[in-house]
Amino acid sequence: MQFLATISSLPFYILATISIVCALGMIINPNLVRAGFTLIGTFIGIAGLYFLLNANFVAVSQVLIYAVGIVLVIVFAVMLCSLKEEAHNIKESVFSSKARVTFAVLISSLVFAVLSFVIRSQDWQAIAKLTGAERQSSLVQLVDDKYLSQIGFLMLNKYILPFELVSVLLLIVLIGTILLSKKDIK
Amino acid sequence: MTVTLIHYLTFSALLFSIGLFGLLISRNAFRVLMSIEIMLNAVNINFVAFAHFLDPLAVKGQAFSLFVMAIAAAEVAIGLSLLLLIYRNRMNIDMDSFATIKW
């Protein structure tokens, strides 16, 4: 039984390790284009975690939007900026300043310590009981095939205002991006 | 040792800290954008994990994570076009050189 529990938790650890290693590789890699492609590993690992969490639609959107769309756009922009040699002269100075590195390590480890302290100090079992998740989890298998329609229902009923606002935002971004990247702004 | 909510939250906190580390350490503006993407993803994991463990029937967290993805895509598009504009004017994308407004 113990062995079975260990085996079933193995995918989580593998996917988590992949995403963390790729995220660190993105920061450390001096080549910007390679760093952008390393980001795909992080996003794919996170998409796998979404599959483990029964969030199939979010996982597929993660692969489509992040792992393909955003990474590709970033890498193309990097390539556009790297045509001239001047952009490369900061490449080797990622770890230039010792003070900056110590500052960054200090701040980020402090944030992690505070976050993990807060996570540990909560009684998640009691919260799950409060929200009724214990009772619901037996029903999850029943609604599993209907959950995509559940998301659509939420989007068009309860969250209709944010949904429409996001569409307006995307339109504004479309126009703004075209305006900003035009060669001669009048 | 089954995987519980605490595991997912700790993993997300670790990923968020890594993104913050990259944000603070990097001088290249593109790397800063990538670090912000990692931080947004860490937040998304929290949403989906909460939806799975605390609210399995009504999947509100997943709907919210889709909103976050849309905002992230918008942010990347605007950020990259701004960066291209800066690069075209200054021939430089070093974060430390964006200090013209500093008094």
Side-chain angles (χ1 to χ4, degrees):
Chain A
M1 200 57 214
Q2 181 69 38
F3 179 70
L4 266 180
T6 312
I7 289 292
S8 65
S9 67
L10 210 58
F12 168 78
Y13 286 108
I14 292 173
L15 289 168
T17 316
I18 288 174
S19 353
I20 284 173
V21 166
C22 286
L24 281 176
M26 187 280 289
I27 295 168
I28 294 170
N29 202 329
N31 188 331
L32 257 182
V33 177
R34 287 213 187 109
F37 283 125
T38 319
L39 213 54
I40 292 179
T42 310
F43 292 150
I44 296 278
I46 291 171
L49 286 180
Y50 290 159
F51 272 120
L52 289 184
L53 287 169
N54 281 336
N56 301 344
F57 182 64
V58 183
V60 173
S61 325
Q62 165 89 6
V63 173
L64 282 178
I65 297 174
Y66 274 111
V68 179
I70 289 182
V71 168
L72 209 66
V73 169
I74 290 180
V75 167
F76 273 135
V78 169
M79 287 171 175
L80 272 180
C81 279
S82 306
L83 289 176
K84 306 222 167 56
E85 277 304 308
E86 294 95 301
H88 279 296
N89 60 5
I90 55 170
K91 191 176 74 176
E92 64 275 358
S93 59
V94 174
F95 292 113
S96 60
S97 146
K98 274 274 185 289
R100 181 194 289 265
V101 174
T102 29
F103 180 72
V105 168
L106 213 72
I107 293 281
S108 51
S109 51
L110 192 73
V111 166
F112 178 64
V114 169
L115 282 177
S116 52
F117 173 73
V118 170
I119 289 166
R120 302 260 161 208
S121 65
Q122 296 292 320
D123 187 7
W124 295 111
Q125 223 78 51
I127 295 174
K129 217 162 269 164
L130 210 65
T131 58
E134 302 285 334
R135 278 179 288 114
Q136 291 174 357
S137 57
S138 56
L139 297 170
V140 167
Q141 293 306 321
L142 288 176
V143 288
D144 208 23
D145 51 338
K146 282 198 299 185
Y147 104 99
L148 194 53
S149 56
Q150 178 85 24
I151 289 181
F153 185 77
L154 275 177
M155 287 257 186
L156 288 178
N157 281 282
K158 196 171 183 184
Y159 300 133
I160 181 83
L161 184 64
F163 184 74
E164 297 298 333
L165 284 180
V166 161
S167 62
V168 172
L169 174 83
L170 287 178
L171 180 68
I172 295 171
V173 166
L174 204 66
I175 298 170
T177 313
I178 294 171
L179 266 182
L180 280 176
S181 52
K182 253 171 60 172
K183 259 285 188 278
D184 46 338
I185 297 173
K186 294 278 188 306
Chain B
M1 45 174 264
T2 56
V3 179
T4 56
L5 181 59
I6 294 177
H7 290 77
Y8 280 99
L9 292 184
T10 311
F11 165 69
S12 144
L14 187 58
L15 207 61
F16 188 85
S17 314
I18 289 174
L20 187 64
F21 175 68
L23 186 73
L24 291 172
I25 206 177
S26 46
R27 296 179 59 191
N28 195 311
F30 284 108
R31 221 183 283 271
V32 170
L33 266 182
M34 295 181 202
S35 304
I36 292 174
E37 288 309 307
I38 286 184
M39 289 165 79
L40 284 169
N41 260 287
V43 175
N44 256 352
I45 293 170
N46 267 359
F47 273 131
V48 176
F50 278 130
H52 180 250
F53 285 103
L54 298 183
D55 183 28
L57 277 190
V59 283
K60 302 190 197 83
Q62 298 187 18
F64 259 95
S65 69
L66 292 173
F67 286 131
V68 173
M69 275 185 202
I71 304 287
E75 171 248 325
V76 158
I78 288 290
L80 284 178
S81 55
L82 278 177
L83 274 186
L84 284 180
L85 200 63
I86 291 172
Y87 176 73
R88 209 180 286 145
N89 287 332
R90 315 260 315 253
M91 286 294 156
N92 193 0
I93 43 168
D94 190 345
M95 289 299 276
D96 290 353
S97 71
F98 303 158
T100 330
I101 308 181
K102 203 163 88 177
W103 49 281

